[in-house]
Each structure stands twice: as C-alpha cells, then as structure tokens.
Amino acid sequence: MAGDRLDELSMAMRVAREFREGMYVNLGVGIPTLASSFVPPGMEVILHSENGMLGFGPLVEDAAHADIFLINASVQPVSPRPGMCFFAHEESFAMIRGGRIDITVLGALEVAENGDLANYQLPGKVCGSFGGGQDLAFCARKVIAVMTHRTKDDRPKIVQRVTLPLTAPRAVDRVVTDIAVIDVTPAGLLLREYVPGWTPEEIQALTAAPLRIADDLQPMTLA
Amino acid sequence: MAINKVVGSFDEAVADIADGAMLHIGGFGGPGECPSYLIAAVARRKPRGLTVTGNLGGWGVAMIAALRERLAAMLPFPDDFYDLGLLVEQGCVRKGILAFPAAPGNAEFPFELLLREGKAELELLGQGSLAERIRAARAGIAAFYTPVGVGTVAAEGKEIREFGGVPHVLEHALRADFSLIRAYKADRWGNLIYHGTGRTMNATMAGAARVTLAEVDEVVDLGELDPECVVTPGIYVERVVVRPKQPKRWDERS
C-alpha cells in the first residue's frame, strides 16, 4: 500500500528547491515560512515580508535575540542581514501589485483544477482573513500552494471546484503536498513528482480532480 | 510663536475623538509597532459607534496576556501592549474595515464575537487594497482601480471595469477623522522616523485623516532628525505624544 507522507519540514525543503539565485520571494504563514531555513548556502534569495521588509535573515529561535521591531508577517522574530531595508505598507504592496515578487508560497485549504485558491476562511468561522495573501495570489509571478494532500478528516483538498470562499481565481501555478507535486496547466492538473513509495494511481485516488501524468514524472527529492 | 505639535498627555491628545468617528489604527499585529497608549486613551474615553480600519481585528487584553505567556521563549511581549481588541472589548467599535479580522486557527478575536452577535459590521479587504485606499486618502485621490479582489467577496457590490481585457474593481479612498500611529522619534514639527518593522501601516496612515496622532518613544530637537532620513514629513502630523518611560496599565491615566 501507499508510502509515507512528508512531514512539514520535508515539505518546506521541497518548496525551497523552487528558489533560484536573485529571486524575490514572499513566504506565507506556516510551512512556507519554514522554507526560508532551507535556502542553499551561498545562494542569494531576497525574502519579502508584507509588513514592510526586504532582505532579512533567518528566523530567531530564542527570546534573548528576538527584537519586536524585527518581525515577519507571521509575527515571528527574524535576524537582521546586511542589505535589508524597511518600508511602509503601501510601498510593500506596490512591490507585490507591481509584479516584483518572483515566487510566493502560500498555505491552502483547497486548490481547484483551474488554479482557484481558497485559503482565507476556515469552515465554521464567522469571517476569514485575507491578510496579504490575496494580493500575493493575484500578483506574484509564480504562486505555489503548499498543503497536506487531504484534510485532517481525510477529505480532498485538490478539487474540481473550490467549496470554501475564494481567495483568488486561477491563481495557483504549482501545488506541493505531502505526497506529490502537481502543476496547474491550461489542460488541467499535471502530476510532476511523487513521494517515493506512492504510485500515480494512489495519488489520483486521493485527488478529487483528474490528473494527467507528466512525461518526465519523477520521484520527489528534497535537496 | 514657535510651532509645537507635542501634546502633554494621551488623554488630552484624544479628547476630541467623538462617538461615530472613523479611526485608522496603525501597527500590523505584532507587540512592538502598535499605538498602544493612544488606543488605551481612547478606550478610557469610551466613544461609541467607531468605524476602525487596520490590519488586525485585535487580540484584546486577555488574549494578549495568554500570548505573552505562551510566546515568552520566542518573542517578548511588552507589558504595555494593547491593541484594537481593547476598543472592541470596551464596546467602542461598530464597524471594522480590516484585512485580518479572524484570528488564526481556532482562536477568536473579540471582533469575531461581536460579528457573531450581529453587533458589528465588517468590510473585509486584502492588505494591499486597504493600504492603497488609505494612501489614496493622504494623496487626495478619490478612488482607483485594481485587479486584486475581483471575483471574491472583496469586490462584492463594487464597480468593475476592464483595462486591457482584465477586470478591475473600483476602490474608494478611506479618509478617517483620526489616524492613530506609532513612531520612534519625532521633533516638534511632527517629522517622524520609525524603527525596523514598526514603519508598516503607521507610515501609511500618517496624513490619511483630518488629525494624525503620533505616539513616539522620544521627541528630539529640531535638526536632530537627519533630513535625508525623515520618513513621515511633519506636514502629515498634527499631534505628537511621548510614551511613558515606565509601562502603565491601559486603565491608568497617561
């Protein structure tokens, strides 16, 4: 039967493989932010945080080195780095809306086969929070959704049509899950990578939209 | 007569914030960059029926205390961190124009509770449109078009127009009666600089209201702020108030 599922750190490692030298990258709350720890040594990737900061360093792990005036958009302390800069909120979103962000990585609740993204309102909540995610989903050059393949109660998150409130239509380019990497293409979903131990048939069975299989389908590698 | 925008107390600075006023509330969501003493002074004054704009719906007093304990090993929360949640808890807020009104996970902001009881109204926006609508007010721009939000709840009931084949939504400027912001240093002309990620919505909201109130750590002599580095020119700022050296509870006069 099917193989193991990736844990959050492993998913973050896979996400980090998307980064290239010189990219401007914005990472959402949760697993996406963890990916900042896996930028290959020596590669210069400039992180953007929508609360008004570019070029900051790794997360700070202990309160003694934490600065409440040096936080990312998840309100986690980060470290300073030569070359970093600060700016106001409207400037931060001029960068996003002006198309300067090469990649954004966002958590997701549902992704549809046409790239529709639902990630701002949990079922049962009286309202949801767009935060900066809607702007990023609409405007970043490449939008990567990272999430477990199924919900905690084992329902599909990759679907034909989203059932939860829409964050952004036709926004997602690639989905990284704990068992697969799937691209959104004009011809539908394309399975590109599988976690070793899983077959395309097993992945399809857990996906509520049809998958085509890439000609160069590969096992997922993390580094 | 020399210009002096420095006001002696927070209570004095907010004394003309009346029932039904619209307030821009600075900060982002962290414990550092929030205009805590201005918020506390408004909470003591207890105006009713406020419309507030800002990023976060606000944690409120009890949840901030819980977070302070839970995050002690990661991010030290100052004792005098009070946010928009305090104004909600004190019954001052009727409407929120917010980007982050719902707390993460299973937590619930005081504002969510109010919504559920039907006692408040929400206009949900992404941070980009929120910030740009506020900036537009500062710049005297009535409205602008953006593709962001089209096809979602953020564009419901708003005018849609195509540019280059792409649908855009018309977003109107948000001019408030008062902007409550937090900065680092000021001079008596109201020039401001910020500290680190403390710039955020604070610098955005400066000048986007009839009256901008800046809560600062320190007022320095004219000329001490490097003119190359002033972030908010004093023309956008009406009142400056200095934070107390020792933390105060929100219900203490300041």
Side-chain angles (χ1 to χ4, degrees), chain A residues 51 63 66 68-71 73 86 89-90 93 97 120 125 127-131 134-135 138-139 166-167, chain B residues 32 72-74 76 99-103 107 112 124 127-129 138 146-147 149 152-153 195-197 200 204:
Chain A
N51 55 325
I68 56 174
F69 289 100
L70 196 52
I71 58 168
F86 303 111
H89 223 79
E90 81 274 13
F93 282 82
R97 293 173 158 213
Y120 82 92
K125 292 277 270 185
C127 64
S129 291
F130 282 135
Q134 185 173 63
D135 292 273
F138 268 83
C139 301
L166 186 66
T167 304
Chain B
M74 188 185 102
F100 214 107
E112 289 175 79
L124 176 68
Q127 280 173 17
S129 283
R138 179 173 80 228
T146 174
T152 77
V153 68
H195 189 55
T197 44
T200 194
T204 300

mmCIF file of all heavy atoms in Angstrom, chain A residues 51 63 66 68-71 73 86 89-90 93 97 120 125 127-131 134-135 138-139 166-167, chain B residues 32 72-74 76 99-103 107 112 124 127-129 138 146-147 149 152-153 195-197 200 204:
data_model
loop_
_atom_site.group_PDB
_atom_site.id
_atom_site.type_symbol
_atom_site.label_atom_id
_atom_site.label_comp_id
_atom_site.label_asym_id
_atom_site.label_seq_id
_atom_site.Cartn_x
_atom_site.Cartn_y
_atom_site.Cartn_z
ATOM 1 N N ASN A 51 4.722 43.066 5.828
ATOM 2 C CA ASN A 51 4.663 44.149 6.802
ATOM 3 C C ASN A 51 5.739 45.204 6.565
ATOM 4 O O ASN A 51 5.813 46.179 7.315
ATOM 5 C CB ASN A 51 4.727 43.610 8.238
ATOM 6 C CG ASN A 51 5.933 42.728 8.489
ATOM 7 O OD1 ASN A 51 6.374 41.995 7.617
ATOM 8 N ND2 ASN A 51 6.472 42.803 9.677
ATOM 9 N N ALA A 63 14.126 34.032 22.656
ATOM 10 C CA ALA A 63 13.658 35.369 23.012
ATOM 11 C C ALA A 63 14.799 36.344 23.271
ATOM 12 O O ALA A 63 14.669 37.544 23.035
ATOM 13 C CB ALA A 63 12.735 35.289 24.231
ATOM 14 N N ALA A 66 15.519 38.010 20.140
ATOM 15 C CA ALA A 66 14.349 38.474 19.388
ATOM 16 C C ALA A 66 14.164 39.969 19.567
ATOM 17 O O ALA A 66 14.397 40.516 20.644
ATOM 18 C CB ALA A 66 13.103 37.730 19.859
ATOM 19 N N ILE A 68 11.248 42.939 18.886
ATOM 20 C CA ILE A 68 9.844 43.122 18.491
ATOM 21 C C ILE A 68 9.706 44.084 17.307
ATOM 22 O O ILE A 68 8.637 44.182 16.716
ATOM 23 C CB ILE A 68 8.958 43.593 19.671
ATOM 24 C CG1 ILE A 68 9.509 44.885 20.286
ATOM 25 C CG2 ILE A 68 8.833 42.503 20.727
ATOM 26 C CD1 ILE A 68 8.600 45.475 21.353
ATOM 27 N N PHE A 69 10.787 44.764 16.948
ATOM 28 C CA PHE A 69 10.767 45.635 15.768
ATOM 29 C C PHE A 69 11.473 44.992 14.573
ATOM 30 O O PHE A 69 11.904 45.673 13.651
ATOM 31 C CB PHE A 69 11.378 46.997 16.100
ATOM 32 C CG PHE A 69 10.495 47.805 17.007
ATOM 33 C CD1 PHE A 69 10.748 47.865 18.379
ATOM 34 C CD2 PHE A 69 9.384 48.464 16.519
ATOM 35 C CE1 PHE A 69 9.915 48.594 19.222
ATOM 36 C CE2 PHE A 69 8.553 49.194 17.352
ATOM 37 C CZ PHE A 69 8.816 49.253 18.705
ATOM 38 N N LEU A 70 11.607 43.679 14.640
ATOM 39 C CA LEU A 70 12.190 42.938 13.516
ATOM 40 C C LEU A 70 11.426 41.616 13.402
ATOM 41 O O LEU A 70 11.916 40.556 13.764
ATOM 42 C CB LEU A 70 13.688 42.709 13.768
ATOM 43 C CG LEU A 70 14.554 42.307 12.579
ATOM 44 C CD1 LEU A 70 14.373 43.250 11.395
ATOM 45 C CD2 LEU A 70 16.020 42.266 12.980
ATOM 46 N N ILE A 71 10.177 41.741 12.913
ATOM 47 C CA ILE A 71 9.303 40.572 12.826
ATOM 48 C C ILE A 71 8.837 40.384 11.385
ATOM 49 O O ILE A 71 8.763 41.342 10.613
ATOM 50 C CB ILE A 71 8.060 40.715 13.735
ATOM 51 C CG1 ILE A 71 7.256 41.972 13.384
ATOM 52 C CG2 ILE A 71 8.461 40.703 15.207
ATOM 53 C CD1 ILE A 71 5.884 42.032 14.020
ATOM 54 N N ALA A 73 5.820 38.682 8.639
ATOM 55 C CA ALA A 73 4.368 38.857 8.568
ATOM 56 C C ALA A 73 3.621 37.801 9.386
ATOM 57 O O ALA A 73 2.425 37.933 9.619
ATOM 58 C CB ALA A 73 3.898 38.828 7.115
ATOM 59 N N PHE A 86 13.625 48.535 5.204
ATOM 60 C CA PHE A 86 12.256 48.639 5.719
ATOM 61 C C PHE A 86 11.473 49.655 4.898
ATOM 62 O O PHE A 86 12.046 50.597 4.351
ATOM 63 C CB PHE A 86 12.272 49.099 7.179
ATOM 64 C CG PHE A 86 13.073 48.222 8.087
ATOM 65 C CD1 PHE A 86 14.269 48.677 8.636
ATOM 66 C CD2 PHE A 86 12.644 46.943 8.394
ATOM 67 C CE1 PHE A 86 15.012 47.861 9.474
ATOM 68 C CE2 PHE A 86 13.376 46.125 9.227
ATOM 69 C CZ PHE A 86 14.571 46.584 9.770
ATOM 70 N N HIS A 89 3.638 50.147 4.468
ATOM 71 C CA HIS A 89 2.759 49.106 3.948
ATOM 72 C C HIS A 89 2.365 49.318 2.491
ATOM 73 O O HIS A 89 2.337 48.376 1.707
ATOM 74 C CB HIS A 89 1.501 49.040 4.821
ATOM 75 C CG HIS A 89 1.091 47.641 5.131
ATOM 76 N ND1 HIS A 89 1.698 46.887 6.103
ATOM 77 C CD2 HIS A 89 0.144 46.858 4.593
ATOM 78 C CE1 HIS A 89 1.128 45.688 6.140
ATOM 79 N NE2 HIS A 89 0.185 45.650 5.239
ATOM 80 N N GLU A 90 2.039 50.554 2.109
ATOM 81 C CA GLU A 90 1.599 50.764 0.727
ATOM 82 C C GLU A 90 2.759 50.511 -0.235
ATOM 83 O O GLU A 90 2.558 50.056 -1.361
ATOM 84 C CB GLU A 90 0.987 52.156 0.531
ATOM 85 C CG GLU A 90 1.956 53.299 0.343
ATOM 86 C CD GLU A 90 2.447 53.888 1.646
ATOM 87 O OE1 GLU A 90 2.248 53.274 2.708
ATOM 88 O OE2 GLU A 90 3.052 54.977 1.606
ATOM 89 N N PHE A 93 3.109 46.776 -0.763
ATOM 90 C CA PHE A 93 2.127 46.218 -1.698
ATOM 91 C C PHE A 93 2.269 46.791 -3.103
ATOM 92 O O PHE A 93 1.806 46.176 -4.064
ATOM 93 C CB PHE A 93 0.711 46.344 -1.135
ATOM 94 C CG PHE A 93 0.483 45.268 -0.109
ATOM 95 C CD1 PHE A 93 0.935 45.435 1.191
ATOM 96 C CD2 PHE A 93 -0.072 44.064 -0.468
ATOM 97 C CE1 PHE A 93 0.806 44.416 2.128
ATOM 98 C CE2 PHE A 93 -0.211 43.037 0.457
ATOM 99 C CZ PHE A 93 0.227 43.217 1.761
ATOM 100 N N ARG A 97 1.946 44.280 -6.000
ATOM 101 C CA ARG A 97 0.986 44.546 -7.072
ATOM 102 C C ARG A 97 1.674 44.964 -8.354
ATOM 103 O O ARG A 97 1.126 44.810 -9.448
ATOM 104 C CB ARG A 97 0.009 45.623 -6.609
ATOM 105 C CG ARG A 97 -0.861 45.126 -5.479
ATOM 106 C CD ARG A 97 -1.708 46.250 -4.904
ATOM 107 N NE ARG A 97 -2.858 45.698 -4.221
ATOM 108 C CZ ARG A 97 -4.051 46.288 -4.170
ATOM 109 N NH1 ARG A 97 -4.256 47.450 -4.732
ATOM 110 N NH2 ARG A 97 -5.039 45.715 -3.527
ATOM 111 N N TYR A 120 -8.566 31.527 2.906
ATOM 112 C CA TYR A 120 -8.678 32.599 3.904
ATOM 113 C C TYR A 120 -9.741 32.374 4.965
ATOM 114 O O TYR A 120 -9.728 33.068 5.985
ATOM 115 C CB TYR A 120 -8.866 33.957 3.219
ATOM 116 C CG TYR A 120 -10.288 34.278 2.797
ATOM 117 C CD1 TYR A 120 -11.146 34.982 3.636
ATOM 118 C CD2 TYR A 120 -10.754 33.879 1.555
ATOM 119 C CE1 TYR A 120 -12.440 35.277 3.251
ATOM 120 C CE2 TYR A 120 -12.046 34.176 1.159
ATOM 121 C CZ TYR A 120 -12.881 34.868 2.016
ATOM 122 O OH TYR A 120 -14.157 35.163 1.631
ATOM 123 N N LYS A 125 -15.901 29.398 10.885
ATOM 124 C CA LYS A 125 -15.549 30.728 11.382
ATOM 125 C C LYS A 125 -16.576 31.746 10.868
ATOM 126 O O LYS A 125 -17.131 31.605 9.779
ATOM 127 C CB LYS A 125 -14.164 31.137 10.891
ATOM 128 C CG LYS A 125 -13.017 30.331 11.485
ATOM 129 C CD LYS A 125 -12.583 30.839 12.846
ATOM 130 C CE LYS A 125 -11.509 31.888 12.728
ATOM 131 N NZ LYS A 125 -10.993 32.292 14.060
ATOM 132 N N CYS A 127 -15.904 34.805 10.043
ATOM 133 C CA CYS A 127 -15.289 35.538 8.939
ATOM 134 C C CYS A 127 -13.896 34.977 8.713
ATOM 135 O O CYS A 127 -13.416 34.148 9.485
ATOM 136 C CB CYS A 127 -15.227 37.041 9.223
ATOM 137 S SG CYS A 127 -14.196 37.489 10.627
ATOM 138 N N GLY A 128 -13.272 35.425 7.651
ATOM 139 C CA GLY A 128 -11.919 34.986 7.356
ATOM 140 C C GLY A 128 -10.977 36.172 7.276
ATOM 141 O O GLY A 128 -11.389 37.314 7.459
ATOM 142 N N SER A 129 -9.702 35.875 7.000
ATOM 143 C CA SER A 129 -8.677 36.914 6.935
ATOM 144 C C SER A 129 -7.909 36.814 5.625
ATOM 145 O O SER A 129 -7.211 35.833 5.395
ATOM 146 C CB SER A 129 -7.699 36.770 8.108
ATOM 147 O OG SER A 129 -8.321 37.092 9.329
ATOM 148 N N PHE A 130 -8.037 37.834 4.772
ATOM 149 C CA PHE A 130 -7.221 37.856 3.559
ATOM 150 C C PHE A 130 -5.759 38.141 3.897
ATOM 151 O O PHE A 130 -4.871 37.654 3.216
ATOM 152 C CB PHE A 130 -7.705 38.941 2.588
ATOM 153 C CG PHE A 130 -8.929 38.580 1.814
ATOM 154 C CD1 PHE A 130 -9.965 39.491 1.663
ATOM 155 C CD2 PHE A 130 -9.037 37.341 1.192
ATOM 156 C CE1 PHE A 130 -11.097 39.178 0.934
ATOM 157 C CE2 PHE A 130 -10.166 37.017 0.457
ATOM 158 C CZ PHE A 130 -11.199 37.934 0.334
ATOM 159 N N GLY A 131 -5.531 38.953 4.928
ATOM 160 C CA GLY A 131 -4.157 39.371 5.207
ATOM 161 C C GLY A 131 -3.524 39.929 3.947
ATOM 162 O O GLY A 131 -4.146 40.708 3.220
ATOM 163 N N GLN A 134 -4.205 37.596 -0.461
ATOM 164 C CA GLN A 134 -4.968 37.812 -1.692
ATOM 165 C C GLN A 134 -4.137 38.576 -2.722
ATOM 166 O O GLN A 134 -4.107 38.208 -3.895
ATOM 167 C CB GLN A 134 -6.263 38.574 -1.395
ATOM 168 C CG GLN A 134 -7.130 38.719 -2.627
ATOM 169 C CD GLN A 134 -8.480 39.322 -2.331
ATOM 170 O OE1 GLN A 134 -8.579 40.466 -1.896
ATOM 171 N NE2 GLN A 134 -9.533 38.556 -2.568
ATOM 172 N N ASP A 135 -3.450 39.625 -2.261
ATOM 173 C CA ASP A 135 -2.594 40.385 -3.181
ATOM 174 C C ASP A 135 -1.510 39.494 -3.773
ATOM 175 O O ASP A 135 -1.218 39.561 -4.966
ATOM 176 C CB ASP A 135 -1.936 41.555 -2.442
ATOM 177 C CG ASP A 135 -2.949 42.595 -2.028
ATOM 178 O OD1 ASP A 135 -3.241 43.483 -2.834
ATOM 179 O OD2 ASP A 135 -3.470 42.508 -0.902
ATOM 180 N N PHE A 138 -2.959 37.061 -6.356
ATOM 181 C CA PHE A 138 -3.314 37.724 -7.618
ATOM 182 C C PHE A 138 -2.074 38.157 -8.407
ATOM 183 O O PHE A 138 -2.109 38.166 -9.633
ATOM 184 C CB PHE A 138 -4.170 38.972 -7.348
ATOM 185 C CG PHE A 138 -5.658 38.739 -7.362
ATOM 186 C CD1 PHE A 138 -6.309 38.262 -6.235
ATOM 187 C CD2 PHE A 138 -6.411 39.011 -8.497
ATOM 188 C CE1 PHE A 138 -7.681 38.060 -6.234
ATOM 189 C CE2 PHE A 138 -7.792 38.811 -8.510
ATOM 190 C CZ PHE A 138 -8.427 38.341 -7.373
ATOM 191 N N CYS A 139 -1.013 38.573 -7.726
ATOM 192 C CA CYS A 139 0.018 39.378 -8.391
ATOM 193 C C CYS A 139 1.403 38.763 -8.481
ATOM 194 O O CYS A 139 2.214 39.228 -9.292
ATOM 195 C CB CYS A 139 0.136 40.730 -7.691
ATOM 196 S SG CYS A 139 -1.396 41.677 -7.690
ATOM 197 N N LEU A 166 -13.574 31.903 -1.980
ATOM 198 C CA LEU A 166 -12.451 32.066 -2.913
ATOM 199 C C LEU A 166 -11.521 33.203 -2.474
ATOM 200 O O LEU A 166 -11.966 34.318 -2.206
ATOM 201 C CB LEU A 166 -13.029 32.370 -4.297
ATOM 202 C CG LEU A 166 -12.060 32.454 -5.470
ATOM 203 C CD1 LEU A 166 -11.428 31.108 -5.760
ATOM 204 C CD2 LEU A 166 -12.798 32.986 -6.711
ATOM 205 N N THR A 167 -10.230 32.895 -2.455
ATOM 206 C CA THR A 167 -9.224 33.936 -2.205
ATOM 207 C C THR A 167 -8.831 34.617 -3.510
ATOM 208 O O THR A 167 -8.741 35.840 -3.583
ATOM 209 C CB THR A 167 -7.958 33.328 -1.574
ATOM 210 O OG1 THR A 167 -8.328 32.632 -0.383
ATOM 211 C CG2 THR A 167 -6.936 34.400 -1.242
ATOM 212 N N GLY B 32 5.193 45.269 18.981
ATOM 213 C CA GLY B 32 6.058 46.446 19.021
ATOM 214 C C GLY B 32 5.456 47.679 18.394
ATOM 215 O O GLY B 32 5.517 48.778 18.955
ATOM 216 N N ALA B 72 6.647 33.504 25.464
ATOM 217 C CA ALA B 72 7.737 34.094 26.257
ATOM 218 C C ALA B 72 9.112 33.612 25.798
ATOM 219 O O ALA B 72 10.083 34.370 25.814
ATOM 220 C CB ALA B 72 7.533 33.789 27.733
ATOM 221 N N ALA B 73 9.206 32.363 25.367
ATOM 222 C CA ALA B 73 10.505 31.819 24.955
ATOM 223 C C ALA B 73 10.879 32.229 23.540
ATOM 224 O O ALA B 73 11.985 31.963 23.085
ATOM 225 C CB ALA B 73 10.483 30.301 25.062
ATOM 226 N N MET B 74 9.944 32.868 22.823
ATOM 227 C CA MET B 74 10.210 33.196 21.425
ATOM 228 C C MET B 74 10.258 34.694 21.165
ATOM 229 O O MET B 74 11.168 35.201 20.511
ATOM 230 C CB MET B 74 9.134 32.561 20.553
ATOM 231 C CG MET B 74 9.384 32.647 19.072
ATOM 232 S SD MET B 74 7.981 32.001 18.121
ATOM 233 C CE MET B 74 7.189 33.524 17.611
ATOM 234 N N PRO B 76 9.448 38.392 23.257
ATOM 235 C CA PRO B 76 8.990 39.042 24.498
ATOM 236 C C PRO B 76 7.942 40.126 24.215
ATOM 237 O O PRO B 76 8.194 41.047 23.443
ATOM 238 C CB PRO B 76 10.272 39.653 25.067
ATOM 239 C CG PRO B 76 11.192 39.808 23.898
ATOM 240 C CD PRO B 76 10.805 38.788 22.866
ATOM 241 N N ALA B 99 -8.159 43.719 7.227
ATOM 242 C CA ALA B 99 -7.603 42.661 6.380
ATOM 243 C C ALA B 99 -7.489 41.336 7.136
ATOM 244 O O ALA B 99 -7.477 40.278 6.538
ATOM 245 C CB ALA B 99 -6.223 43.080 5.856
ATOM 246 N N PHE B 100 -7.400 41.434 8.458
ATOM 247 C CA PHE B 100 -7.178 40.219 9.261
ATOM 248 C C PHE B 100 -8.148 40.201 10.450
ATOM 249 O O PHE B 100 -7.717 40.221 11.607
ATOM 250 C CB PHE B 100 -5.722 40.180 9.749
ATOM 251 C CG PHE B 100 -5.166 38.785 9.830
ATOM 252 C CD1 PHE B 100 -4.242 38.320 8.910
ATOM 253 C CD2 PHE B 100 -5.582 37.915 10.835
ATOM 254 C CE1 PHE B 100 -3.735 37.030 8.991
ATOM 255 C CE2 PHE B 100 -5.080 36.626 10.915
ATOM 256 C CZ PHE B 100 -4.148 36.184 9.989
ATOM 257 N N PRO B 101 -9.462 40.137 10.181
ATOM 258 C CA PRO B 101 -10.439 40.184 11.281
ATOM 259 C C PRO B 101 -10.605 38.854 12.010
ATOM 260 O O PRO B 101 -11.132 38.838 13.126
ATOM 261 C CB PRO B 101 -11.736 40.558 10.573
ATOM 262 C CG PRO B 101 -11.569 40.028 9.193
ATOM 263 C CD PRO B 101 -10.099 40.141 8.862
ATOM 264 N N ALA B 102 -10.164 37.752 11.390
ATOM 265 C CA ALA B 102 -10.327 36.438 12.011
ATOM 266 C C ALA B 102 -8.993 35.969 12.554
ATOM 267 O O ALA B 102 -7.988 35.980 11.856
ATOM 268 C CB ALA B 102 -10.852 35.427 10.985
ATOM 269 N N ALA B 103 -8.991 35.563 13.805
ATOM 270 C CA ALA B 103 -7.756 35.084 14.435
ATOM 271 C C ALA B 103 -7.323 33.776 13.778
ATOM 272 O O ALA B 103 -8.148 33.036 13.240
ATOM 273 C CB ALA B 103 -7.976 34.882 15.929
ATOM 274 N N ALA B 107 -8.532 30.164 17.491
ATOM 275 C CA ALA B 107 -8.674 31.346 18.348
ATOM 276 C C ALA B 107 -9.759 32.258 17.779
ATOM 277 O O ALA B 107 -10.143 32.143 16.616
ATOM 278 C CB ALA B 107 -7.346 32.087 18.438
ATOM 279 N N GLU B 112 -14.606 39.090 16.261
ATOM 280 C CA GLU B 112 -15.361 37.960 15.690
ATOM 281 C C GLU B 112 -16.604 37.669 16.544
ATOM 282 O O GLU B 112 -17.673 37.349 16.019
ATOM 283 C CB GLU B 112 -14.488 36.709 15.626
ATOM 284 C CG GLU B 112 -13.402 36.776 14.577
ATOM 285 C CD GLU B 112 -12.500 35.554 14.635
ATOM 286 O OE1 GLU B 112 -12.880 34.492 14.129
ATOM 287 O OE2 GLU B 112 -11.397 35.670 15.218
ATOM 288 N N LEU B 124 -14.288 43.327 4.642
ATOM 289 C CA LEU B 124 -13.038 42.575 4.531
ATOM 290 C C LEU B 124 -12.299 42.973 3.261
ATOM 291 O O LEU B 124 -12.878 42.986 2.176
ATOM 292 C CB LEU B 124 -13.339 41.073 4.497
ATOM 293 C CG LEU B 124 -12.123 40.157 4.297
ATOM 294 C CD1 LEU B 124 -11.213 40.193 5.523
ATOM 295 C CD2 LEU B 124 -12.564 38.732 3.994
ATOM 296 N N GLN B 127 -4.735 43.338 2.387
ATOM 297 C CA GLN B 127 -3.875 44.416 2.908
ATOM 298 C C GLN B 127 -3.475 45.422 1.829
ATOM 299 O O GLN B 127 -3.298 46.603 2.110
ATOM 300 C CB GLN B 127 -2.601 43.823 3.501
ATOM 301 C CG GLN B 127 -2.785 43.273 4.888
ATOM 302 C CD GLN B 127 -1.538 42.547 5.365
ATOM 303 O OE1 GLN B 127 -0.457 42.715 4.812
ATOM 304 N NE2 GLN B 127 -1.695 41.743 6.389
ATOM 305 N N GLY B 128 -3.323 44.962 0.599
ATOM 306 C CA GLY B 128 -2.893 45.861 -0.464
ATOM 307 C C GLY B 128 -3.931 46.928 -0.765
ATOM 308 O O GLY B 128 -3.611 48.120 -0.853
ATOM 309 N N SER B 129 -5.194 46.507 -0.911
ATOM 310 C CA SER B 129 -6.248 47.496 -1.169
ATOM 311 C C SER B 129 -6.482 48.370 0.055
ATOM 312 O O SER B 129 -6.744 49.567 -0.068
ATOM 313 C CB SER B 129 -7.543 46.799 -1.580
ATOM 314 O OG SER B 129 -7.445 46.380 -2.933
ATOM 315 N N ARG B 138 -4.547 60.066 1.750
ATOM 316 C CA ARG B 138 -3.463 61.006 2.063
ATOM 317 C C ARG B 138 -3.127 61.855 0.844
ATOM 318 O O ARG B 138 -2.815 63.043 0.964
ATOM 319 C CB ARG B 138 -2.221 60.228 2.523
ATOM 320 C CG ARG B 138 -1.049 61.130 2.832
ATOM 321 C CD ARG B 138 0.110 60.368 3.452
ATOM 322 N NE ARG B 138 0.902 59.675 2.474
ATOM 323 C CZ ARG B 138 1.282 58.409 2.556
ATOM 324 N NH1 ARG B 138 0.911 57.671 3.586
ATOM 325 N NH2 ARG B 138 2.026 57.868 1.630
ATOM 326 N N THR B 146 -8.088 48.392 -9.287
ATOM 327 C CA THR B 146 -7.087 47.340 -9.114
ATOM 328 C C THR B 146 -7.708 45.998 -9.508
ATOM 329 O O THR B 146 -8.908 45.783 -9.282
ATOM 330 C CB THR B 146 -6.581 47.268 -7.661
ATOM 331 O OG1 THR B 146 -5.712 46.132 -7.514
ATOM 332 C CG2 THR B 146 -7.721 47.109 -6.673
ATOM 333 N N PRO B 147 -6.892 45.095 -10.089
ATOM 334 C CA PRO B 147 -7.441 43.767 -10.389
ATOM 335 C C PRO B 147 -7.608 42.902 -9.140
ATOM 336 O O PRO B 147 -8.338 41.905 -9.161
ATOM 337 C CB PRO B 147 -6.386 43.156 -11.327
ATOM 338 C CG PRO B 147 -5.126 43.897 -11.037
ATOM 339 C CD PRO B 147 -5.526 45.278 -10.598
ATOM 340 N N GLY B 149 -8.807 41.201 -6.012
ATOM 341 C CA GLY B 149 -10.075 41.027 -5.311
ATOM 342 C C GLY B 149 -11.252 40.729 -6.219
ATOM 343 O O GLY B 149 -12.300 40.295 -5.746
ATOM 344 N N THR B 152 -14.053 37.847 -5.890
ATOM 345 C CA THR B 152 -14.123 37.410 -4.498
ATOM 346 C C THR B 152 -15.014 38.369 -3.705
ATOM 347 O O THR B 152 -15.468 39.397 -4.218
ATOM 348 C CB THR B 152 -12.732 37.391 -3.834
ATOM 349 O OG1 THR B 152 -12.339 38.735 -3.501
ATOM 350 C CG2 THR B 152 -11.685 36.783 -4.756
ATOM 351 N N VAL B 153 -15.203 38.042 -2.439
ATOM 352 C CA VAL B 153 -16.058 38.851 -1.574
ATOM 353 C C VAL B 153 -15.551 40.291 -1.453
ATOM 354 O O VAL B 153 -16.329 41.215 -1.221
ATOM 355 C CB VAL B 153 -16.200 38.170 -0.186
ATOM 356 C CG1 VAL B 153 -14.885 38.198 0.569
ATOM 357 C CG2 VAL B 153 -17.294 38.815 0.631
ATOM 358 N N HIS B 195 11.114 52.629 13.629
ATOM 359 C CA HIS B 195 12.139 51.660 14.000
ATOM 360 C C HIS B 195 11.797 50.322 13.354
ATOM 361 O O HIS B 195 10.721 49.777 13.617
ATOM 362 C CB HIS B 195 12.173 51.549 15.531
ATOM 363 C CG HIS B 195 13.325 50.757 16.045
ATOM 364 N ND1 HIS B 195 14.624 51.042 15.732
ATOM 365 C CD2 HIS B 195 13.366 49.670 16.842
ATOM 366 C CE1 HIS B 195 15.415 50.169 16.317
ATOM 367 N NE2 HIS B 195 14.683 49.324 16.993
ATOM 368 N N GLY B 196 12.674 49.817 12.484
ATOM 369 C CA GLY B 196 12.531 48.485 11.910
ATOM 370 C C GLY B 196 11.169 48.260 11.271
ATOM 371 O O GLY B 196 10.664 49.096 10.511
ATOM 372 N N THR B 197 10.568 47.117 11.595
ATOM 373 C CA THR B 197 9.259 46.786 11.027
ATOM 374 C C THR B 197 8.133 47.585 11.692
ATOM 375 O O THR B 197 6.959 47.311 11.456
ATOM 376 C CB THR B 197 8.971 45.279 11.144
ATOM 377 O OG1 THR B 197 9.336 44.824 12.449
ATOM 378 C CG2 THR B 197 9.758 44.487 10.125
ATOM 379 N N THR B 200 5.571 50.002 8.734
ATOM 380 C CA THR B 200 4.359 49.296 8.285
ATOM 381 C C THR B 200 3.135 50.209 8.073
ATOM 382 O O THR B 200 3.216 51.217 7.370
ATOM 383 C CB THR B 200 4.087 48.074 9.226
ATOM 384 O OG1 THR B 200 3.146 47.223 8.651
ATOM 385 C CG2 THR B 200 3.722 48.473 10.648
ATOM 386 N N THR B 204 1.902 54.446 6.572
ATOM 387 C CA THR B 204 0.833 54.502 5.564
ATOM 388 C C THR B 204 -0.301 55.415 6.023
ATOM 389 O O THR B 204 -0.858 56.186 5.242
ATOM 390 C CB THR B 204 0.283 53.082 5.310
ATOM 391 O OG1 THR B 204 1.354 52.257 4.850
ATOM 392 C CG2 THR B 204 -0.831 53.094 4.284
#
